[in-house]
């Protein structure tokens, strides 16, 4: 079964075509700067074929047309006919409380995704455009929506409501939703395989540490708590996002900086986090370099990031009354040995002992990085949200 996975952003389209009979990636690509004159389409086809084109891609519909042309191209395409694509899986950021699992997309589902736009004004509109463009190009191909929020719908109510007037939850849907669910689910299943126990029998803390970062407490295969909330701004300090702050700071910043509510939200989303603290970059590679060269604010930013992760891990171990393993994933979690070392330092009381040598070796590869006598195992697991989406499609449609 060949499954196409689509992930649309406001000006981007990422795609992967996978053969799900053996979980092999056939082709993938990325269109960026859609709507600009210098849009870029990068395509990776068969036998290591790579092509980068700069041209004007006016809309997501054009990007999808372009993608389909590449996939069926005689020389570097991977399928003879578009009809070979048996299913399309769409990453949808917000499913609200309506979607607790992935669903086949029909007009009702599309409307329900539209109804969640208020909850994810930056993401859901782009996801809807992607779905509509595919409906236009390949109307007969079944499509599945896989939601970032769905995995977290098992979080108990006492953990997802905020201690503010209940009417805000009832009338405006104000509650914790959580994000990165597809990634947390994928890595938790991988670790269960590596430990050799069903995911339903183990407790895990999954640390998705990328530009956006979140932590999830996974009890017997189910998310019971996560660090992101009503929006992806809360929890950890991130590349450019503040993470959780004192809520009274918002009006204080508005006054000090003479900003509107929207400008302040933007400030906390785009100019804060490790970028705001370091004044250098949101990218951990730049921060590590600067810190090694003696830049104190870069060093501080890394310390703040690691400290918050450590606090969440400790909290979630407490909430679950112990865990079997901790998982590090996404750009920083998979590649940054120093950050993993800072996070796990002095956590032997909670059962975590990092194997320093193995930790240094684990860069972008699946690996156990705890010592043999560590009561809690520590794993580095490269995430693969696209594969998880394709698996969901296969599961639902078969
Ligand atoms: P997102 O998908 O949220 O945009 P990623 O998961 O790609 O983010 O993570 C981006 C982060 O990962 C950046 O801070 C980047 O510096 C870090 N990163 C990626 N590769 C490496 C590496 N080899 N060493 C250290 N940090 C890395």
């Amino acid at each position: 079964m060949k499954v196409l996975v689509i992930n649309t952003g406001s000006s981007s389209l990422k795609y992967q075509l996978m053969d799900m009979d053996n979980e092999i990636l056939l082709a993938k690509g990325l269109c960026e700067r859609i709507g600009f004159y210098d849009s870029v389409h990068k395509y990776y086809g068969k036998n290591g074929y790579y092509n980068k084109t700069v041209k004007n891609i006016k809309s997501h519909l054009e990007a999808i047309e372009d993608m389909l042309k590449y996939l069926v191209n005689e020389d570097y395409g991977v399928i003879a006919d578009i009809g070979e694509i048996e299913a399309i899986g769409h990453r949808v950021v917000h499913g609200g409380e309506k979607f607790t699992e992935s669903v086949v997309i029909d007009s009702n589902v599309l409307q329900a995704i539209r109804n969640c736009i208020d909850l994810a004004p930056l993401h859901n509109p782009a996801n809807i455009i992607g779905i509509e463009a595919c409906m236009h190009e390949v109307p007969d191909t079944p499509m599945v929506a896989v939601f970032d929020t769905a995995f977290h719908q098992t979080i108990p109510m006492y953990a997802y409501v905020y201690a503010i007037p209940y009417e805000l939850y009832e009338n405006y849907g104000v509650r914790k939703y959580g994000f990165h669910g597809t990634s947390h689910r994928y890595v938790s299943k991988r670790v269960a395989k590596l430990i050799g126990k069903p995911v339903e029998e183990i407790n895990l803390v999954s640390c998705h540490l990328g530009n956006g970062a979140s932590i999830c407490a996974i009890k017997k295969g189910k998310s019971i708590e996560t660090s992101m909330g009503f929006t992806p701004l809360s929890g950890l300090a991130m590349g450019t996002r503040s993470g959780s702050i004192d809520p009274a700071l918002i009006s204080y910043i508005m006054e000090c900086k003479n900003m509107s509510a929207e400008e302040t939200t933007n400030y906390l989303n785009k100019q804060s986090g490790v970028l705001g603290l370091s004044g250098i970059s949101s990218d951990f590679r730049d921060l590590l370099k600067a810190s090694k060269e003696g830049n104190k604010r870069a060093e501080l930013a890394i310390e703040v990031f690691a400290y918050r992760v450590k606090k969440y891990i400790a909290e979630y171990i407490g909430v679950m009354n112990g865990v079997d393993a901790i998982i590090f994933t996404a750009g920083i979690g998979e590649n940054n040995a120093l950050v993993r070392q800072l996070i796990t330092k002095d956590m032997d009381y909670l059962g975590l002992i990092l194997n320093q040598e193995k930790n240094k070796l684990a860069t972008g590869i699946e690996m156990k990085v705890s010592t043999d006598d560590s009561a809690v195992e520590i794993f580095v697991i490269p995430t693969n949200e696209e594969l998880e989406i394709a698996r969901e499609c296969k599961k639902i449609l078969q």
Side-chain angles (χ1 to χ4, degrees):
M1 178 184 203
K2 293 194 178 86
V3 177
L4 178 65
V5 175
I6 298 276
N7 182 354
T8 37
S10 54
S11 64
S12 68
L13 164 76
K14 286 187 205 151
Y15 60 89
Q16 289 196 4
L17 182 64
M18 275 178 255
D19 184 342
M20 289 308 289
D21 293 336
N22 38 25
E23 297 197 338
I24 286 178
L25 175 68
L26 300 172
K28 66 176 182 177
L30 166 67
C31 297
E32 287 173 305
R33 295 181 60 77
I34 296 171
F36 294 84
Y37 280 102
D38 56 349
S39 323
V40 179
H41 188 160
K42 293 178 189 163
Y43 171 81
Y44 302 78
K46 66 181 173 198
N47 304 327
Y49 178 89
Y50 169 68
N51 176 287
K52 177 179 167 184
T53 326
V54 179
K55 60 179 170 186
N56 178 12
I57 303 176
K58 289 195 213 68
S59 62
H60 285 80
L61 183 60
E62 270 193 31
I64 281 172
E65 280 170 1
D66 219 39
M67 166 193 77
L68 293 173
K69 273 187 211 149
Y70 275 93
L71 292 175
V72 299
N73 184 284
E74 254 180 38
D75 298 324
Y76 45 78
V78 289
I79 47 176
D81 186 90
I82 288 169
E84 282 182 44
I85 302 171
E86 286 170 79
I88 301 178
H90 289 271
R91 176 190 178 213
V92 180
V93 167
H94 218 307
E97 287 190 320
K98 167 104 182 147
F99 297 108
T100 55
E101 48 192 41
S102 309
V103 282
V104 175
I105 300 174
D106 60 19
S107 55
N108 291 332
V109 168
L110 193 55
Q111 186 51 44
I113 297 172
R114 268 196 204 101
N115 294 344
C116 294
I117 285 179
D118 279 352
L119 298 174
L122 299 178
H123 295 102
N124 273 30
N127 301 154
I128 291 166
I129 289 171
I131 293 170
E132 286 177 335
C134 287
M135 279 176 162
H136 184 269
E137 288 299 314
V138 278
D140 298 327
T141 309
M143 295 203 272
V144 171
V146 181
F147 301 92
D148 272 14
T149 49
F151 184 58
H152 300 299
Q153 282 296 307
T154 44
I155 294 177
M157 191 171 195
Y158 57 78
Y160 73 66
V161 286
Y162 294 112
I164 51 179
Y166 191 76
E167 110 21 66
L168 285 166
Y169 168 60
E170 284 185 311
N171 297 330
Y172 302 97
V174 174
R175 53 160 286 178
K176 174 182 287 209
Y177 289 100
F179 300 87
H180 292 142
T182 310
S183 173
H184 290 304
R185 183 170 45 200
Y186 172 81
V187 295
S188 64
K189 289 198 298 198
R190 267 313 299 159
V191 161
K193 272 227 168 83
L194 295 176
I195 292 180
K197 283 189 185 166
V199 74
E200 294 77 17
E201 288 179 15
I202 54 175
N203 296 344
L204 304 165
V205 176
S206 164
C207 308
H208 179 110
L209 311 178
N211 270 323
S214 73
I215 311 219
C216 182
I218 305 171
K219 191 170 187 179
K220 303 192 187 311
K222 292 192 169 138
S223 168
I224 58 141
E225 178 59 283
T226 192
S227 58
M228 283 180 170
F230 179 65
T231 74
L233 180 57
S234 75
L236 299 171
M238 306 178 216
T240 61
R241 293 175 226 166
S242 63
S244 296
I245 54 167
D246 181 338
L249 257 179
I250 303 206
S251 58
Y252 190 74
I253 293 172
M254 286 169 76
E255 269 178 43
C256 293
K257 302 287 292 180
N258 195 21
M259 284 181 187
S260 66
E262 197 186 340
E263 283 166 341
T264 310
T265 306
N266 220 18
Y267 195 56
L268 295 173
N269 265 302
K270 303 220 167 118
Q271 294 180 50
S272 300
V274 293
L275 168 69
L277 274 173
S278 68
I280 293 179
S281 171
S282 61
D283 191 303
F284 267 72
R285 285 165 287 204
D286 300 337
L287 296 179
L288 283 179
K289 186 165 170 283
S291 163
K292 272 192 197 140
E293 289 164 1
N295 186 306
K296 289 290 167 207
R297 273 174 53 190
E299 190 183 336
L300 174 69
I302 297 169
E303 279 173 346
V304 168
F305 179 84
Y307 176 66
R308 289 250 187 121
V309 178
K310 180 196 276 282
K311 283 209 298 182
Y312 272 103
I313 292 176
E315 193 177 304
Y316 290 177
I317 291 177
V319 161
M320 288 189 282
N321 193 18
V323 289
D324 295 277
I326 308 290
I327 310 167
F328 288 108
T329 192
I332 301 160
E334 291 166 23
N335 297 297
N336 198 319
L338 174 72
V339 172
R340 290 192 301 255
Q341 189 202 328
L342 289 173
I343 294 168
T344 51
K345 189 165 169 271
D346 296 333
M347 290 191 93
D348 49 318
Y349 180 78
L350 291 177
L352 274 74
I353 308 173
L354 190 70
N355 180 321
Q356 304 292 342
E357 293 313 309
K358 283 189 181 163
N359 182 47
K360 280 184 203 142
L361 294 175
T363 305
I365 48 168
E366 202 168 89
M367 200 162 158
K368 179 177 153 181
V369 292
S370 46
T371 60
D372 289 341
D373 59 347
S374 178
V376 174
E377 295 185 272
I378 309 171
F379 288 94
V380 172
I381 306 285
T383 194
N384 194 338
E385 287 158 292
E386 291 76 14
L387 178 56
E388 186 63 21
I389 292 173
R391 282 179 180 163
E392 284 288 290
C393 281
K394 186 176 169 187
K395 188 176 86 187
I396 287 186
L397 294 170
Q398 286 189 343

